[in-house]
Amino acid sequence: MPKILHLINSLNRGGIEKWLLSMLDEVPRNEYEMDVCCKGSDTGTLADVALKLGAKVMHCPLAVNQLKFVRELTRILKEGQYDILHNHTEAYSGLPVWVAHQLEIPVITSFHNTSFLPQTGVTRLPFVRQLRSIYAFASIKYALRYSDFVTGCSQGVIDSLDPDGKKLQKYSRVLYYGIDIPELSTLQERAAFRQSFGWSEDVPIIIHVGRFIEQKNHLGLLSVFEQVLKQIKSAKLLLVGEGSLQELIKNTINKRELADSVVLLGLRDDVPSLMSKCDVFLFPSLYEGFGIVAIEANAANLPVVGSKVPGVTEAVVDCKTALLHDVEDIDSMANSTIKLINDQDYYQQLSNAGRIWVKDNYSTAVSAKNLVEIYDDFL
């Protein structure tokens, strides 16, 4: 059977990682044997999940000493006798493509974003940030030129990689992600969830799930919530996630005197269940490759209020499953959130349409079928 090695940063609680785990579960190993190699500082908190699904999980850190990475990735590809390297490393994609080509192993490179800003404290330092930007430009350019096939998680991602529509048209494809459709919380469970915080049963809850990084625009999110609080004083905001900007967000919450209305929940394994107990998913990202968390929200019967950026506009349907606005339009996002909370008929209309939309277009079964089609055609 064909063997695929997925090269990613690490198996943490991100949208791409959860999608990959769902593919390991959905695609039978007697059809395609898929393993995972992590280039980050560790294999991640969800590595055990991949192991239980039958995949091998290997660690090949990509640090300053890139020669060591080359030697280790070469060893893994040779010993594993992989038929395809499926490369998910985005800004760092060039070097894995070069390694695979030295071994005459074909490469599929997948991109999951329209922008590739630094996400760690070190890579955001002024001089380091500039060096990384130069490295990323050269790396992506090389990967686009020498990958055997390129996928993007949305048409917006493909367009950002190839604005003229000429470079990738013969060897690229959109590969949408899929998710599991969760069970919905009962009215009793929603009430008990609010009571667990000491809130009344009818308190409206807004939720956001995402890493505390620039891309997710937590400062803009807090500004939207401030506007909501002016009209709905009982509203609460839940923030799920961790990240390098977490202390800045905590300080901003205290400075704006929002501590009584905002709860930071950290990393959670029960996100779909959390979502189905809330009222609005607020998603004002500066950019997104696809916004898989937005379709998770829709699947949980949760309408989305977010930014009108490429990727998100493909994940949800504006005015049907979500209300999207320019990322700078704080007032409109707040007004849309208020409308969904106050108008139950409108809320039900969007929430029901969202769940149907995801079932029809973005289930794990649909995504696995599309992934296997790519591998079949490729081989």
Side-chain angles (χ1 to χ4, degrees):
M1 77 199 74
K3 296 184 67 176
I4 316 294
L5 182 66
H6 288 270
L7 179 64
I8 65 171
N9 185 59
S10 61
L11 283 166
N12 286 315
R13 293 179 177 85
I16 308 309
E17 294 84 352
K18 288 191 290 185
W19 167 80
L20 180 54
L21 289 173
S22 71
M23 294 300 97
L24 293 176
D25 189 32
E26 194 77 24
V27 178
R29 280 187 74 80
N30 61 4
E31 185 175 351
Y32 278 102
E33 187 175 326
M34 297 192 293
D35 296 323
V36 182
C37 181
C38 301
K39 74 162 186 67
S41 57
D42 54 44
T43 56
T45 56
L46 299 179
D48 286 345
V49 178
L51 291 171
K52 289 177 182 177
L53 291 171
K56 297 176 182 177
V57 179
M58 291 152 281
H59 190 210
C60 181
L62 174 60
V64 176
N65 185 357
Q66 298 201 355
L67 182 59
K68 184 178 179 181
F69 170 81
V70 167
R71 289 172 177 166
E72 185 63 11
L73 182 59
T74 298
R75 182 191 66 78
I76 291 171
L77 288 169
K78 279 184 175 181
E79 292 182 1
Q81 297 182 324
Y82 290 101
D83 299 288
I84 296 174
L85 174 64
H86 195 151
N87 178 21
H88 303 268
T89 56
E90 298 195 303
Y92 304 94
S93 291
L95 191 56
V97 172
W98 182 85
V99 171
H101 274 204
Q102 304 312 302
L103 301 174
E104 298 184 348
I105 295 173
V107 185
I108 298 173
T109 299
S110 291
F111 290 90
H112 313 291
N113 248 314
T114 56
S115 184
F116 309 102
L117 296 177
Q119 297 179 0
T120 68
V122 173
T123 55
R124 286 201 307 273
L125 293 172
F127 182 66
V128 178
R129 187 181 187 123
Q130 292 173 340
L131 287 177
R132 182 192 177 279
S133 178
I134 295 169
Y135 180 94
F137 176 82
S139 177
I140 292 171
K141 184 177 180 180
Y142 183 91
L144 292 177
R145 181 172 181 180
Y146 292 105
S147 293
D148 298 280
F149 197 78
V150 173
T151 75
C153 62
S154 68
Q155 188 59 49
V157 168
I158 294 292
D159 292 343
S160 71
L161 295 169
D162 185 17
D164 299 327
K166 297 178 181 178
K167 300 176 183 176
L168 299 179
Q169 57 185 344
K170 292 183 180 180
Y171 62 102
S172 67
R173 178 174 170 177
V174 174
L175 176 61
Y176 289 122
Y177 302 136
I179 63 166
D180 292 319
I181 308 300
E183 294 293 326
L184 298 180
S185 297
T186 64
L187 292 175
Q188 292 77 13
E189 288 170 336
R190 287 170 61 91
F193 179 67
R194 285 158 175 75
Q195 291 170 354
S196 70
F197 292 99
W199 303 335
S200 63
E201 295 181 4
D202 60 349
V203 161
I205 301 178
I206 300 162
I207 188 171
H208 177 269
V209 180
R211 288 172 294 168
F212 286 78
I213 56 176
E214 292 176 27
Q215 173 188 353
K216 303 301 179 180
N217 191 23
H218 283 81
L219 295 178
L221 186 150
L222 292 175
S223 296
V224 173
F225 182 64
E226 279 184 300
Q227 295 294 329
V228 173
L229 274 179
K230 290 179 182 178
Q231 295 195 40
I232 307 177
K233 298 188 183 302
S234 62
K236 305 297 181 182
L237 173 64
L238 303 182
L239 300 179
V240 180
E242 292 181 352
S244 55
L245 298 184
Q246 190 165 333
E247 286 304 313
L248 170 64
I249 302 307
K250 285 182 180 179
N251 293 336
T252 303
I253 290 169
N254 292 328
K255 185 177 180 180
R256 298 189 188 183
E257 300 181 347
L258 297 172
D260 292 338
S261 301
V262 181
V263 179
L264 279 70
L265 296 180
L267 295 175
R268 297 286 293 247
D269 292 320
D270 59 345
V271 168
S273 177
L274 280 176
M275 286 179 167
S276 70
K277 295 177 175 67
C278 299
D279 298 287
V280 177
F281 184 77
L282 192 52
F283 196 46
S285 295
L286 300 177
Y287 60 91
E288 287 287 342
F290 180 54
I292 194 169
V293 71
I295 64 172
E296 288 182 318
N298 273 176
N301 247 33
L302 195 59
V304 175
V305 174
S307 48
K308 190 180 295 185
V309 294
V312 176
T313 55
E314 293 175 61
V316 298
V317 184
D318 193 14
C319 298
K320 185 177 180 182
T321 75
L323 300 174
L324 303 181
H325 305 281
D326 291 339
V327 69
E328 302 88 359
D329 196 347
I330 301 298
D331 291 340
S332 292
M333 287 195 202
N335 290 337
S336 290
T337 304
I338 292 166
K339 179 175 176 60
L340 287 169
I341 291 172
N342 288 335
D343 189 338
Q344 280 301 298
D345 289 339
Y346 191 50
Y347 164 83
Q348 287 296 336
Q349 178 185 329
L350 266 68
S351 62
N352 293 339
R355 190 167 169 87
I356 293 170
W357 165 254
V358 177
K359 282 183 178 180
D360 290 345
N361 296 279
Y362 298 124
S363 67
T364 53
V366 170
S367 187
K369 176 177 177 290
N370 292 335
L371 179 63
V372 167
E373 284 179 356
I374 288 175
Y375 290 158
D376 288 345
D377 293 344
F378 192 67
L379 292 174

